[in-house]
Amino acid sequence: MGQDITQTLVEQIAQAHQEARPLAIHGGGTKGFLGHDLVGEVVDITGHQGIVNYQPVELVMTVRAGTPLAEVEAALAEKGQCLAFEPPSFGSAATIGGTIATGLSGPARPYTGSARDFMLGVRVINGQGQALRFGGEVMKNVAGYDVSRLMTASHGSLGLITEVSLKVLPVAKSVKTLATSASANEAIALFNRLAGQPLPISATAWAEGQAYIRLSGAASAVDAAAKQIGGELADNSVWASLKELTHNSVAEQSTLWRLSVPQTASLDLDCPLIEWGGGQRWYTGDAPEQELRAKVEAVGGHATLYRGQAERVFHPLNPAMSALHSRIKHSFDPKALFNVGRFHPEF
Amino acid sequence: MTAIQSGLLDQAIIDDRRARIVPKLQAILSSDQLKVTQEDLAPFETDGLAPYRRMPMVVALPTDKAQVIAIMKACQSEDIPVVTRGAGTGLSGGAMPHEGGVLLSMTKMNAIQNIDPDARIITVQPGIRNAAVTQAVAPYGLYYAPDPSSQIACSIGGNIAENSGGVHCLKYGLTVHNVLQATVITIDGGELTLGGESLDAPGLDLMAALIGSEGMLGVVVEAKLKLLPIPQVTKVVSAAFDDLGTAGRAVGDIIAAGIIPAGLEMMDKLSLQAAENFLNAGYPTWAEALLLCEVDGTAEEVQEHIEDVTQVLKTAGAVEVKVARDDAERELFWKGRKSAFPAVGQISPDYYCMDGTIPRGELPEVLQKISDMQDKYGLQCANVFHAGDGNLHPLIMFDGNDPVQAEKAQQYGSEILTTCVEHGGTITGEHGVGVEKINEMCVQFPGEELTQFHALKRAFDAKELMNPGKAIPTLNRCAEFGHMHVHHGEMPHPELERF
Amino acid sequence: MQTSIVQKYANTPQGQQADAILRKCVHCGFCTATCPTYQLLGDELDSPRGRIYLIKQMLEGAEVTEKTRNHLDRCLTCRSCETTCPSGVEYGKLVDIGRDLVEKEVPRGFVERLTRQALISVLPNRPVFNALLKLGQTFKPVVPGALGKKIPPKRAKTPWPAPRHTRRMLVLDACAQPGATPNVNASAARVLDRLGISLVTAPEAGCCGAVAYHLNDQAGGLDAMRANIDAWWPEIEKGCEAIVITASGCGVMVKEYGHLLAGDAAYAKKARRIAELCKDMTEVFAAESLEQLNLSAQEQKVAFHAPCTLQHGQKIVGVAERYLREAGFELTMVADSHLCCGSAGTYSITQPELSQSLLKNKVEALEAGRPDVIATANIGCHLHIETGAQTPVKHWIELIDDVCGA
């Protein structure tokens, strides 16, 4: 199954290193909007495909980066397992490599963890064309720095991810969604109050005057919690539309900002969609970029542009962090080949 | 494996450094915060891995962030290494001092700065004990999930340095999954805030780089930790087996049944006996292996899972399956499990604790191999470990006063770790590389990964003053070690000159 | 742990015993977690593990100064570390040896010697202590500050039932207790009287030996022990069932008589017998049927302070609390109940600053649950906590005595 083109990729990158030629990493192209324009010769990962190792009883899958996300999810579903961080795909062409490189997580994120939380191991080719392997297929591994997680959400700035090993989990036996009318502030307060109680909550969201709560786990536990929390039973399909940003509250908006803030933060911005217990809020208004960023930063958060126009896609780093990032970039990619300026302009 | 005396700096160099740094430190610290005489320094010469010892040049005990910044600046300007030490319970010698460096003991910085029960976040100084965090937030129905066996004594700062695990990792993750933010002082005295109270932070995920970095990148002076609600119900099933391999296979059977236990631990006969000596917990000391399987959740869920687990264990060949009567008995079972390492101190003057991790499916075979090695080295080995994570903790028992035994224990340990790597695992799951497994890192990473690690370190610490000689071996060291460890007929790093 | 004891100590009984204890320690550091001084000071040298290392250094021939002596002095000997230690390190015995050796290596200055000698002479000496106590109580209103606080309030003596039962037990009615808290043994006597046991004293008995022994006057301590054995022996020969101790600090010492006098041919056997007969009040209760007491406490909230000598020294945990609950008292939650109150024998006098910090924390923890009364089981803790608490302090047997029904 699949194809291993590591050698070709190594040669291409080594050549580029020799010639100090910039490279642009391409996967399925579904998240092109998430970052500044790519410059340089294309490194195409989509030809590097296949599930390398999947032992359901070990709760681990190792897969080449160009493998479609859909194929990964199908293989897991067949064994009653899943990627518990519920990555959004933003299109059928999405690859697992792009999923990890962007580090996006879905509705379950505050309750079961993020993409990086499920990373166990990675193979990367660094900016010198060296194929490296970090981490592995075991649940715990502290040999050396945790490069696997550092690569997650690095947007291709440190190297080319060629293979990932992910922790996978059994699919919940029972899933139910509750809906109840609430204002945005009421919903945030409710989500946080419930999060402090031992309940099998796996997702929360608020949109269009409705607070949604998803319960996942053993049927008996889900039923008992549903009774305790109350509210109307709603369709589970709402979570897929939220994850893919096709929900009515945000689907058609031409401006879309993702605001990542502390869950209980009180934010003076009108957000039509709130997820992650208040930790991820989507803003579609026309506040100027600087003002928006300042407001979000003041509560300890940051803003990312998904749709529309702005000077920067990602939130700027402070000078000390910016300098450190440049040094880290240099340590992996000394000649600055990979995705230069895509993540942050300074590297 | 006694006090390290070879390869040390000349006394003249140490004296010169001490003469340069002490006046600067005296300007920062009060006299009881600075240790300079042999008498005062000796108790700091080792951490939880007592066979590895080295006298520090100076010990500094800062009480606040400003002092840490000042100490770091002083050390950077004088080119003096800094080794950070938490509670000194580490089992890989990560806090073993540098003979020409400052040992930064963070134990005086142990305050809780804030508890936010609504956001479920606690802000602490690094010296606070892991168990004290959970104790402080218990009134709010919350707890801090990572619970290394040394949690009674180990510090959050040390947990961050080692990415500590514990007995509940399979379900609740490691330290890396439970720390939201860390304030870090780098060697130049710079202050960085990594992570945040949001669920992600701008830029690279530097928390990932920091956690488990063994004090090589900076010093944590404050951390915000994620708190979880205490489960409604927690129950533990204990299953006694008359064969270690059968117990190993039962672990896989539980996971295959679609159950993710909160904890899944195994103790072999020797460790059962040691723990029983200490606690009289009522362990079945006749058994060859005991599996402890904890499930938590709502009352209904737990009932369902307990029945499933009991069935799986019986089918898997458990001789006796029992559910702990009440919370008191459950806590006693865990106390015994968590005290098992030092309890082995009752039956052996010294032990050497390994930390290899392997895919769960390899458990039966690797356990057998480790057991067989007892005859080869003429030493006993107890085993007590996180079966659910495949994280082994073989405890090689020896007498440190007998140099032959000490040497053999080290060889035994090295062979166990090599075996773990051969079975697709790693040399360390949660204790860190420290000084102890530095040679085995060459087995784990025979390629250019080590060079990459060093480059990453220099991004934080250009002069490589933070905890030098730990965690990541130099290529020269590997080449030297390579004399002994020719792997599958290949010589690692053929490009390097041999010594 | 690896050790290499120098010749000077290697062949002495003390050196050998210390070596055997040290070899059990694996340097895991668990003990640091429950050490009161380490929790306050955060310095390895003020933790059990650090002190063990300091003692090890001394036995291995390293130079020692007053620093080692100071760190050993700061130890409360609460032995909390012993109940925490999974390796079974007998820290209490080791620190006694360490103190004895360091005292010889680094003799104390004149003033310090004088203070310690004064404590050894006064506290265990009932007539002298009582005379000073009376003087203090009389002048308490005019005694300044900290010293004034240390003087316990006057308490009226309550009646002691005349011996009338065939079952008899001895009670240690030794040094500070009869003067400072005279009702404790009287309460014990009344409660036991109801259970059909007469509690009697041996007038010749004195201090259990702890004060001198722990101030490192080990010879003086052993003399006190021999004197007690002589004082008790006639009663024991007459069939007295037990030696009841209502102060757990004395109890832990008397239980050690057998071990400490093992080398004394004349007393070894008797000392062993005494140690066997020695019972904390909780242990006496364990063998009796308490229904006949008709205990009926009403809505009284009690915060129990478990003395170190009870929970760590004698390893009696949660027993007095159980009796109080059974009697109908409501027990409040007390955080860090394993930690010492800072009294620790003469510690409150020799290490006033640390002692006061520990007392402050302890009183906060005890009063957090808003109890009506604080109960304890040792005279030292009793008097010490009383100096810092707003809540009245009593021995738990006094509470039981108060609620005995008709």
Side-chain angles (χ1 to χ4, degrees), chain C residues 177-207:
Chain C
Q177 184 161 292
T181 60
N183 296 329
V184 173
N185 280 346
S187 288
R190 287 191 296 272
V191 171
L192 288 181
D193 185 63
R194 284 165 176 268
L195 293 172
I197 302 164
S198 286
L199 200 59
V200 297
T201 59
E204 301 303 314
C207 174

Side-chain angles (χ1 to χ4, degrees), chain A residues 137-212:
Chain A
E137 295 187 319
V138 290
M139 292 295 140
K140 289 170 162 175
N141 192 344
V142 292
Y145 304 115
D146 194 345
V147 175
S148 313
R149 292 192 173 92
L150 181 61
M151 294 302 296
T152 312
S154 64
H155 295 267
S157 61
L158 302 181
L160 174 67
I161 297 174
T162 58
E163 188 181 295
V164 295
S165 295
L166 294 162
K167 179 179 175 182
V168 299
L169 285 178
V171 172
K173 287 186 177 142
S174 169
V175 177
K176 277 187 178 168
T177 301
L178 305 171
T180 180
S181 301
S183 71
N185 285 339
E186 285 165 358
I188 292 172
L190 172 70
F191 298 156
N192 282 287
R193 195 171 71 241
L194 292 176
Q197 296 170 26
L199 295 165
I201 295 174
S202 67
T204 51
W206 175 88
E208 299 173 328
Q210 290 284 306
Y212 297 95

Side-chain angles (χ1 to χ4, degrees), chain A residues 6 38-39 60-61 64 90 92-93 138 159 180 207 248 288 341:
Chain A
T6 308
L38 282 162
V39 286
V60 178
M61 178 187 271
R64 294 195 188 104
F90 300 132
S92 57
V138 290
T180 180
N248 192 43

Side-chain angles (χ1 to χ4, degrees), chain C residues 304-324:
Chain C
F304 188 76
H305 166 68
C308 299
T309 42
L310 187 69
Q311 60 172 335
H312 306 304
Q314 301 187 53
K315 317 260 188 283
I316 297 171
V317 182
V319 184
E321 294 94 313
R322 197 176 71 226
Y323 290 129
L324 288 172

Side-chain angles (χ1 to χ4, degrees), chain C residues 340-366:
Chain C
C340 177
C341 65
S343 168
T346 55
Y347 194 88
S348 58
I349 299 159
T350 56
Q351 300 284 342
E353 274 175 39
L354 284 171
S355 172
Q356 285 303 310
S357 303
L358 290 168
L359 175 64
K360 185 171 159 286
N361 294 346
K362 180 54 71 183
V363 167
E364 270 172 28
L366 284 167

